[in-house]
Amino acid sequence: MNPADSHGFTDPGAMTDVVFQRCIDPRCGATVDLSDTSFACPACGGLLDVAYDWNRLPVPTSFKHFEAKWANRTDPLDFSGVWRFRDLFPFAPADKIMTIGEGQTLCQRADAVAAYVGMKPGNLYLQYEGMNPSGSFKDNGMTAAFTHARMVGARRAACASTGNTSASLAIYCAATSLMRAVIFIGSGRISYGKLSQALDYGALTVQIAGDFDDALRRVQEVRRQLGIYLVNSVNPFRLEGQKTIMFRVLEALRWEVPDWIVVPGGNLGNVSSFGKAFSELKELGLIDRAPQLAVVNAAGANTFHQLYDRHGLRWNAGEFDRPKLAAYMTAMDAGDLRADTLASAIEINRPVNLPKALRALERCGGVVREATDTEILDAKARVGSGGLGCEPASAASVAGLLKLVKEGVIAPSDRVVCILTGHELKDPDATVAYHSSDPAAFEAKLGKRGVKRVAFANRAVQVPNDLNEIVKAIELYA
Ligand code: F0G
């Protein structure tokens, strides 16, 4: 173990024998102390899970247990949409938990979007994670990682980011003054909405001449050298917090399991944590079946789709074809293949959680698809006109659903939840360019990235500054 990773617990009561980290490779299964922050298996270098000895922990026997917490909203831990489910990821003592009120999100029935994708009214729900304090789902995981960082006494926390992880880390650091945020971003690869958050919240912002994949490599090197706490989704504690997105979906559906969860795929943290959530709920007897998981890549960043669909890569109870994965990555490096999509949040070619995502799809069942930028932006416009705005990456879920209904993989009568991962205002440039009537504005943002036409533009009406003309325009168009 790197000495920089060996933090002593500041809390002597930490439950290190019933909660620990464990290598996800069943052939290895090495366990690691809860306090370790290397986030890689010391024996084989693989990914780690946070693991629980459920037999020795007080586990709720019914979902009613969580409803009882609604009555106790003056307790910040019960108010949090993440921590009110803390019995399902009990790694932190209550006095170490750092919450800023995350997880007050919506699961909204979306009939207009259902009509767009060809589903029956009442069968499609949008889980809107843009309502989190920093405007994306990341706060679900950040509160958990930040709590772990606090348990191990970290003073600095770092991430590489396409913009949302960094905004989330920065807001937790700013709101609590407990740590200094160090964020690595690819120069020119992050939308202004997200960059403005990191700057405003006071994070040390390192712009690297490269993309997310470069930034993630560098932040891992820097972490090793300086012993900074890493909050990217390779950190298994982040994924524990993200499980609660699924707990809230179930809660909103009155604890009925939907048929499908559709989620955009970038670094594949969400799909991994959703799979873990459902596996654990089944193990604990709280549900009897899991929904299927559909992961949607952007076509310009489609490593998972390629490997799963075209190369047939499967988890295979842990015996997945590692040489095939390594060869794919080596070929990508040799050709210097770069991710390229307007859905900048998921512009990622080397997803760190890929093995965990394979495991999730095996355990829950599921599919992987890709959507072009045009398909994503059209879906985004339909989400907006349906009453919930989202950023481009989030709309990949709806674009993917449209395909899956057309293919007959998802039936119009299935019950489906699409995850809208980030707020509309994260990337207003893409939205304005989409709806613009100015060809130059369209070209500058969308045309030059390959978008030729858009289906649902709501163009602003240009009128002279004259009352009669204004009235005429309103009568004509509204
Ligand atoms: N949607 C949004 C809005 C995101 O910001 C991200 C990832 C994803 C989807 C993909 O989620 O990695 O769990 O598959 N954003 C990261 C970031 C990479 O740095 O903000 P995933």
Side-chain angles (χ1 to χ4, degrees), residues 391-402:
E391 66 169 285
S394 311
S397 58
V398 174
L401 174 59
L402 177 68

Side-chain angles (χ1 to χ4, degrees), residues 135-138 159-168 184-185 194 212 232-233 238-239 242 263-274 295-297 343-348 351-353 391-396 419-423 426:
S136 85
F137 76 92
K138 299 285 179 179
C159 66
S161 185
T162 55
N164 280 327
T165 305
S166 48
S168 183
F184 286 56
I185 55 177
K194 302 173 190 179
F212 173 83
N232 279 103
S233 57
R238 266 242 345 242
L239 301 190
Q242 285 170 219
V263 62
N267 231 352
L268 304 177
N270 269 331
V271 61
S272 302
S273 80
F274 298 173
V295 183
V296 188
N297 275 162
S344 59
I346 51 174
E347 192 175 52
I348 297 171
V352 291
N353 289 302
E391 66 169 285
S394 311
I419 312 301
L420 299 183
T421 45
H423 199 283
K426 290 281 189 175

Side-chain angles (χ1 to χ4, degrees), residues 259-265 268 271 291-297 304-305 308-309 313-314 357-358 360-362 364-370 397 400-401 403-405 407-410:
D259 298 305
W260 286 89
I261 300 289
V262 190
V263 62
L268 304 177
V271 61
Q292 297 199 70
L293 303 173
V295 183
V296 188
N297 275 162
F304 193 42
H305 178 243
Y308 194 82
D309 261 25
L313 191 66
R314 293 293 182 274
L358 292 174
L361 289 183
E362 182 159 300
C364 295
V367 295
V368 186
R369 290 293 181 273
E370 62 179 355
S397 58
L401 174 59
K403 290 191 169 181
L404 289 164
V405 174
E407 288 172 24
V409 173
I410 295 184

Side-chain angles (χ1 to χ4, degrees), residues 64 114 165 182 210 254 282 389 449:
K64 289 264 173 271
T165 305
V182 183
R254 309 215 173 141
K282 256 173 101 173
R449 303 284 296 269

